[in-house]
Structures are given as C-alpha cells and as structure tokens.
Amino acid sequence: MINDVFLSAGVGVLLALVLSVPAIAWEVRRKRHEGHPLLVDIDTFGGRKLSDRESFALGILFQLVLGLFFGLLYPFNPSFWSFAGEAYTFLSVTAYALVLYLIATGIVMPFMGMGVLGWREDKWIWLETLFTMALMVVGYILIVHWFQPSWFA
C-alpha cells in the first residue's frame, strides 16, 4: 500500500513537471509576460501584485502541488472511485480528477484570492486547469497501466 502511495505521488509530480516544460521553455525564451502555456498564471497573491518571475514561480508551485495531490490521494482508497469502474481505470481516475478539479477551483483558488474558478485572475483559468487535469488523467492512466503488473493492484 505505501509503495503504491509513493509511486503514485511520484508519478503525479513527474506528470506535473512534464506538463510544466512548455511553460519553462516559454519563460526562458520570452521577451515580455504574455502568460504561460499549461500553467495557471497567478498575478496577485495575498493582496499583492506579483512580478512576472514570482507569478511564474507560484504557477509552477501550484502545478507541482496539484500533481502531488493528484498522485498522492488516489491510492489511499482506489476502491472508493470504483463506482465509475474498477480501480485504476480511465473512468475511476477521471471521476477522482473531477473531484480534485472542483476542490482546486472551488476551494483552493478562492483561498488564494483568485476567486471561484480563478475568475478574479483570468476568465480562462478554469479551462487551463481543466485541460491540464485531463492531460494528467491520460498520463496517469498510461503510466499506471505500464506499471500495473508489478506495482498497482
């Protein structure tokens, strides 16, 4: 069980890091701030306007923490998500990701001062987060099924 949790958390962080590569490449090559692909742009935090670098760093941190929780929490009770199919299937991981998405956009983002669905920051953050979550589901399913015979039960 604990091996599943650690492996799954590592898979989630690795997926988040891989999904951050376009934003990192964009940041290295940019001349001015125009947003980052596949990364939530957080312009204000704690009532303070962030610089471009701070916005980028906080966006990367948000992405990595989201990936960590994506991978970390599912293996604790994969049978809970089996109402949408067997454990570690596309439907059960999608149901889990949808709940995590609602928590991120309905609780975490308002707590960070971004408003519900991040609308206070940008009108498209909800879609960026949903698209990133969908890519994480696909990547997670592919990786888990690759490791399934030896690790995930």
Side-chain angles (χ1 to χ4, degrees):
M1 159 78 174
I2 196 71
N3 288 337
D4 290 354
V5 172
F6 283 132
L7 181 60
S8 184
V11 166
V13 170
L14 184 63
L15 281 171
L17 187 60
V18 166
L19 290 175
S20 299
V21 167
I24 294 168
W26 185 271
E27 182 71 13
V28 169
R29 298 185 49 189
R30 76 179 177 98
K31 297 195 182 347
R32 62 184 179 90
H33 182 74
E34 297 173 359
H36 301 100
L38 293 178
L39 193 64
V40 173
D41 288 321
I42 303 169
D43 296 327
T44 58
F45 185 72
R48 181 174 86 78
K49 180 141 177 65
L50 300 176
S51 70
D52 291 346
R53 298 289 180 191
E54 290 171 332
S55 174
F56 174 70
L58 195 56
I60 291 283
L61 180 64
F62 182 79
Q63 179 102 341
L64 293 176
V65 169
L66 187 65
L68 175 69
F69 280 105
F70 184 88
L72 186 68
L73 298 177
Y74 185 86
F76 275 113
N77 194 2
S79 61
F80 175 77
W81 305 103
S82 63
F83 67 86
E86 292 186 29
Y88 296 105
T89 61
F90 181 76
L91 287 176
S92 68
V93 174
T94 301
Y96 164 69
L98 183 60
V99 170
L100 189 63
Y101 169 78
L102 293 173
I103 290 170
T105 57
I107 297 172
V108 175
M109 285 184 180
F111 180 74
M112 292 174 62
M114 299 169 64
V116 175
L117 298 175
W119 283 343
R120 193 173 295 155
E121 286 292 318
D122 184 12
K123 64 181 179 174
W124 296 108
I125 285 181
W126 67 273
L127 186 60
E128 292 172 0
T129 308
L130 184 64
F131 185 70
T132 301
M133 194 67 75
L135 290 176
M136 288 181 78
V137 166
V138 171
Y140 188 80
I141 290 297
L142 290 174
I143 292 171
V144 163
H145 284 277
W146 186 43
F147 282 112
Q148 188 124 23
S150 60
W151 283 95
F152 297 99

